């Protein structure tokens, strides 16, 4: 008798228990693959929604910072313990400069800011410099001790930096006497361009 006839007597089914196991295993793989695909689709949907929300939030903030729009209000602490608001400078031309003590370009720019403050203060310019490293107040005060600037230095909070979309340092804004944004500068200030912008925005001297 051939070997296979001995394993499978006449009239008996040639199906083995392994066949049923393969069916169960195949069904398990099908369920796993379906679950994996559903999970991937779910993550894709969540990712798309999150990306859309991020782009929408980023798009809405810069629109508020367009030239001619009102600058976002702020209320920040000064180094002397005073509280300073943007509204305190209504009627003044404000050069708002976001900086940090660990930023080399910011430190080098302080001399330029001091020069412009001294030259144009009598004509209505006020330099206001919020530092974004407010958590390290000692670093700010030790840096300022070497310079003793005549302009106002404040401690910026995360909300203010976010309102002004500060993503690079230094970042500066020229704000008109009516509180509207005249110019936005990203990176180190260019003296000639800044002077032209200031002279254009300041009231003309009577002839």
């Amino acid at each position: 008798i051939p070997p296979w006839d001995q394993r499978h007597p006449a009239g008996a089914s040639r199906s083995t228990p392994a066949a049923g196991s393969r069916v169960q295993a195949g069904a398990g793989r099908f369920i796993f693959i379906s679950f994996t695909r559903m999970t991937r689709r779910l993550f894709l949907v969540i990712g798309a929604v999150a990306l859309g929300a991020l782009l929408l939030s980023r798009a809405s903030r810069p629109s508020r910072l367009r030239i001619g729009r009102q600058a976002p209000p702020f209320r920040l602490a000064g180094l002397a313990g005073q509280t300073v608001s943007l509204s305190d400078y209504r009627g003044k031309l404000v050069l708002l400069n976001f900086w940090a003590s660990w930023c080399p370009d910011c430190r080098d720019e302080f001399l330029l800011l001091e020069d412009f403050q001294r030259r144009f203060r009598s004509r209505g310019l006020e330099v206001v410099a919020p530092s974004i490293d407010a958590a390290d107040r000692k670093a700010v005060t030790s840096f300022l001790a070497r310079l003793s600037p005549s302009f106002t230095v404040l401690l910026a909070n995360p909300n203010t930096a976010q309102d002004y979309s500060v993503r690079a340092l230094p970042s500066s804004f020229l704000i008109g006497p009516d509180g509207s944004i005249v110019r936005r500068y990203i990176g180190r200030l260019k003296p000639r361009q800044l002077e032209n912008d200031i002279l254009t925005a300041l009231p003309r001297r009577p002839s």
Side-chain angles (χ1 to χ4, degrees), residues 185-199:
Y185 312 91
I186 299 176
R188 196 164 180 169
L189 292 168
K190 299 177 181 179
R192 182 173 296 181
Q193 178 189 16
L194 179 60
E195 182 171 358
N196 289 337
D197 292 339
I198 289 175
L199 289 173

Side-chain angles (χ1 to χ4, degrees), residues 166-189:
V166 178
R167 300 189 182 95
L169 292 176
S171 287
S172 305
F173 295 83
L174 194 62
I175 302 174
D178 62 349
S180 64
I181 297 174
V182 176
R183 186 76 66 186
R184 181 182 185 182
Y185 312 91
I186 299 176
R188 196 164 180 169
L189 292 168

Side-chain angles (χ1 to χ4, degrees), residues 51-143:
L51 179 61
L54 178 62
L55 293 176
L56 182 62
S57 65
R58 287 188 175 183
S60 62
R61 288 196 190 103
S63 66
R64 294 185 301 171
L65 299 174
R66 290 176 183 169
I67 304 303
R69 292 283 186 93
Q70 287 291 301
F74 62 78
R75 186 176 176 83
L76 300 174
L79 296 176
Q82 80 279 26
T83 301
V84 178
S85 301
L86 178 60
S87 58
D88 296 338
Y89 297 98
R90 199 74 172 181
K92 300 281 188 178
L93 180 65
V94 176
L95 178 58
L96 186 68
N97 176 263
F98 289 92
W99 67 286
S101 61
W102 43 262
C103 168
D105 285 345
C106 301
R107 295 196 300 265
D108 295 342
E109 203 168 70
F110 255 61
L111 296 177
L112 177 66
L113 296 175
E114 181 66 20
D115 176 58
F116 275 87
Q117 179 67 100
R118 292 183 182 275
R119 287 170 56 194
F120 294 104
R121 170 171 273 170
S122 61
R123 296 185 58 183
L125 175 69
E126 290 290 342
V127 176
V128 181
S131 171
I132 68 165
D133 51 359
D136 192 0
R137 186 188 183 105
K138 185 177 180 181
V140 177
T141 55
S142 62
F143 169 72

